């Protein structure tokens, strides 16, 4: 129950960073009152809209977050955008502490000549379209016959897996079928995945490479040395696993399968995107040589950044060691440390930020003020428009009811419609 000494804490963002932070605060600050804001009507952020649609085992983490939102001290306030509906300054007046957990959603720019050409697409934009994000462009842009993926991390591997899979491989997923249909109507014939790093040092999770190897799809090759990492140094466990998985992918005795021809390139640096009116190829430095890879489209998977016009861009653009901006204002997840680490790493990050808040409460630099009103202090119009957790459950049930027999849900891409359904309209 709320009292004059109950710390009232606002968390901006209901993705894994915000949910882990709320879980940590419930344990560390008994009696605290949490309001988790999200600009969308649905909770879970990156889990719902960033995790690949065919990785439902990862999305299952929402079950533990469901229990969080059912806690009596936690309120979900969806459909409220901080910076539009309420300012950060207003939240700081109404809550004892505010934590920014918004993530970084803009695709990092490639930063080479030609990167602005039509046909250069960020991996995040593709993932959002496949996840029916309300902000995503629809339909999926045509990728053409020759796709070049620049990047070797897990997001790049998500894109590669999408390009090689057929429709049957999405059974049990929540993929946006309109986007999938658009791609499969003219799938890529050749895919080149290019990593700046040598194969052992590339960023992809060995398990995700093994997942590709297990798919009865695509034919893989690589003209580059696979085991050449840092000269003379023994490979650590992850690098050795990565090398083994890549060798399995390109093994001569791997059965030939239908699907694109995939070339894996390592140690290449992109120099410029070629083309006059749209992408025609990419020029790379390969040691002392310059090579050109033909391309009908280029997918960049080189990380994420803050939108420059985002209300918190100045607070989240650069990574920081501490979550404390100042007593009463904090950040966690990618908003704190930059675009590094997968979902589980947000748990440790949230614990560290929670500890900072606890320390500030303990030394008196942060206190629960009787004058802070929390959610109840927001303008009536904002409080009335906020989508609560029970309303989200109505939308959740509706999306599940729309799903085809081989899908777990059919997400609504229209945010106004999402809100109407959540309100029972």
């Amino acid at each position: 129950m709320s009292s004059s000494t109950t710390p009232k804490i606002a968390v901006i963002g209901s993705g894994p960073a915000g949910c882990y932070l709320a879980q940590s605060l419930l344990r560390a600050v008994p009696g605290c009152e949490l309001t988790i804001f999200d600009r969308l009507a649905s909770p879970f952020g990156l889990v719902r809209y960033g995790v690949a649609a065919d990785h439902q085992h990862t999305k299952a983490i929402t079950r533990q977050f469901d229990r969080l939102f059912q806690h009596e001290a936690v309120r979900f306030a969806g459909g409220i955008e901080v910076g539009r509906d309420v300012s950060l300054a207003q939240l700081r007046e109404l809550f004892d502490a505010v934590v920014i957990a918004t993530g970084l959603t803009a695709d990092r720019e490639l930063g080479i000549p030609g990167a602005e050409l039509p046909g250069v697409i960020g991996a995040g934009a593709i993932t959002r379209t496949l996840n029916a994000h309300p902000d995503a462009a629809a339909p999926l842009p045509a990728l053409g016959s020759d796709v070049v993926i620049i990047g070797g991390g897990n997001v790049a591997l998500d894109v590669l897996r999408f390009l090689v899979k057929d429709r049957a491989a999405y059974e049990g997923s929540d993929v946006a079928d309109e986007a999938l249909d658009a791609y499969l109507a003219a799938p890529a014939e050749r895919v080149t995945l290019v990593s700046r790093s040598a194969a052992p040092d590339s960023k992809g999770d060995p398990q995700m490479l093994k997942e590709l190897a297990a798919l009865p799809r695509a034919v893989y090759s690589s003209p580059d040395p696979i085991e050449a990492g840092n000269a003379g140094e023994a490979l650590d466990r992850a690098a050795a696993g990565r090398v083994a998985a890549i060798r399995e992918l390109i093994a001569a005795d791997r059965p030939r399968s239908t699907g694109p021809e995939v070339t894996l390139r390592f140690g290449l640096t992109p120099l410029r995107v070629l083309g006059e009116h749209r992408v025609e190829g990419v020029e790379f430095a390969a040691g002392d040589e310059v090579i050109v890879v033909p391309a009908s489209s280029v997918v960049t998977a080189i990380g994420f950044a803050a939108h420059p016009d985002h209300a918190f861009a100045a607070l989240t653009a650069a990574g920081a060691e501490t979550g404390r901006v100042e007593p009463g204002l904090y950040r966690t997840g990618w908003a704190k440390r930059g675009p590094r680490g997968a979902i589980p790493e947000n748990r440790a990050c949230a614990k560290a930020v929670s500890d900072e808040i606890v320390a500030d409460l303990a030394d008196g630099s942060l206190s629960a003020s009787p004058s802070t009103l929390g959610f109840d202090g927001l303008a009536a119009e904002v409080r009335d428009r906020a989508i609560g957790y029970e309303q989200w459950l109505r939308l959740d049930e509706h999306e599940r009811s729309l799903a085809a027999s081989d899908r777990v849900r059919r997400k609504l891409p229209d945010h106004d419609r999402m809100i109407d359904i959540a309100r029972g309209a």
Side-chain angles (χ1 to χ4, degrees):
M1 297 294 290
S2 177
S3 73
S4 61
T5 57
T6 298
K8 297 179 179 62
I9 302 174
V11 180
I12 306 173
S14 66
C19 287
Y20 278 134
L21 188 280
Q23 287 178 329
S24 289
L25 286 173
L26 285 177
R27 288 189 290 268
V29 190
C32 69
E33 183 180 297
L34 297 168
T35 301
I36 304 177
F37 292 91
D38 202 294
R39 70 185 183 90
L40 299 178
S42 55
F44 311 134
L46 178 70
V47 180
R48 178 176 162 97
Y49 290 120
V51 172
D54 58 337
H55 274 187
Q56 292 297 312
H57 57 286
T58 302
K59 297 194 177 200
I61 196 174
T62 58
R63 293 172 190 158
Q64 67 166 282
F65 297 154
D66 280 332
R67 293 192 291 275
L68 166 73
F69 285 112
Q70 291 164 2
H71 195 289
E72 63 179 1
V74 177
R75 179 195 301 273
F76 176 61
I80 302 299
E81 183 172 348
V82 180
R84 181 194 64 187
D85 303 307
V86 59
S87 70
L88 179 60
Q90 288 174 309
L91 286 188
R92 296 199 63 187
E93 291 178 1
L94 293 171
F95 292 84
D96 299 303
V98 177
V99 186
I100 299 170
T102 49
L104 302 171
T105 57
D107 284 292
R108 185 179 165 199
E109 294 183 359
L110 191 54
I112 60 175
E116 74 288 352
L117 281 169
V120 178
I121 307 161
I126 290 179
T127 301
R128 286 192 293 275
T129 299
L130 294 174
N131 272 306
H133 193 293
D135 293 345
L140 188 75
L143 300 176
S145 59
D146 295 81
V147 181
V148 172
I149 303 171
I150 297 180
N154 288 348
V155 175
L157 296 180
D158 278 342
V159 174
L160 176 56
R161 200 173 63 255
F162 163 66
L163 295 176
V164 304
K165 274 190 169 185
D166 60 6
R167 189 184 310 277
Y170 282 89
E171 184 172 347
S173 79
D174 61 351
V175 70
D177 279 298
E178 292 83 356
L180 180 63
D181 291 345
Y183 172 68
L184 292 179
E189 298 174 13
R190 291 163 292 277
V191 180
T192 305
L193 183 143
V194 184
S195 169
R196 286 175 179 262
S197 303
D201 307 320
S202 58
K203 304 300 183 186
D205 189 324
Q207 192 58 41
M208 291 188 65
L209 290 162
K210 290 179 181 177
E211 185 180 348
L212 284 167
L215 286 175
R217 297 282 299 169
V219 177
Y220 292 85
S221 65
S222 179
D224 301 315
I226 301 305
E227 296 182 345
N230 295 324
E233 295 183 8
L235 300 181
D236 62 24
R237 182 175 179 179
R242 198 171 291 119
V243 166
I246 294 170
R247 295 191 72 82
E248 183 180 357
L249 266 177
I250 64 174
D253 60 351
R254 183 174 182 266
R256 292 190 65 82
S257 304
T258 56
E261 296 180 6
V262 180
T263 304
L264 305 177
R265 299 302 312 262
F266 299 99
L268 273 59
T269 302
L271 298 176
R272 60 176 175 147
V273 180
L274 305 175
E276 186 173 354
H277 301 295
R278 65 165 290 121
V279 170
E280 296 177 2
V282 187
E283 193 175 84
F284 292 94
D288 295 332
E289 299 181 37
V290 173
I291 65 171
V292 173
V293 179
S296 54
S297 60
V298 175
V299 179
T300 62
I302 54 174
F304 296 90
H307 279 288
D309 56 351
H310 192 280
F312 309 134
L315 297 172
T316 60
E321 292 297 320
T322 176
R324 182 189 297 107
V325 179
E326 60 185 50
L329 180 61
Y330 308 84
R331 54 198 170 189
T332 189
W334 282 8
K336 170 193 170 187
R337 64 185 194 278
R340 300 191 307 275
I343 288 174
E345 294 178 63
N346 285 300
R347 183 198 295 269
C349 184
K351 173 66 167 57
V353 177
S354 174
D355 288 346
E356 292 178 11
I357 295 172
V358 170
D360 287 351
L361 286 167
D363 69 15
S365 55
L366 173 65
S367 60
S369 169
S371 64
T372 55
L373 299 175
F375 180 83
D376 292 340
L378 290 168
E381 188 271 339
V382 175
R383 282 186 279 121
D384 290 345
R385 282 201 297 113
I387 300 297
Y389 182 69
E390 294 299 322
Q391 291 173 308
W392 149 248
L393 291 180
R394 182 184 295 130
L395 173 58
D396 178 44
E397 182 179 354
H398 180 80
E399 288 188 338
R400 292 180 187 278
S401 72
L402 293 178
S405 59
D406 59 346
R407 299 285 187 263
V408 295
R409 75 167 62 234
R410 180 179 174 81
K411 294 178 193 164
L412 299 178
D414 184 328
H415 195 243
D416 290 339
R417 181 62 179 152
M418 291 170 66
I419 289 176
D420 286 345
I421 295 297
R423 290 177 176 155

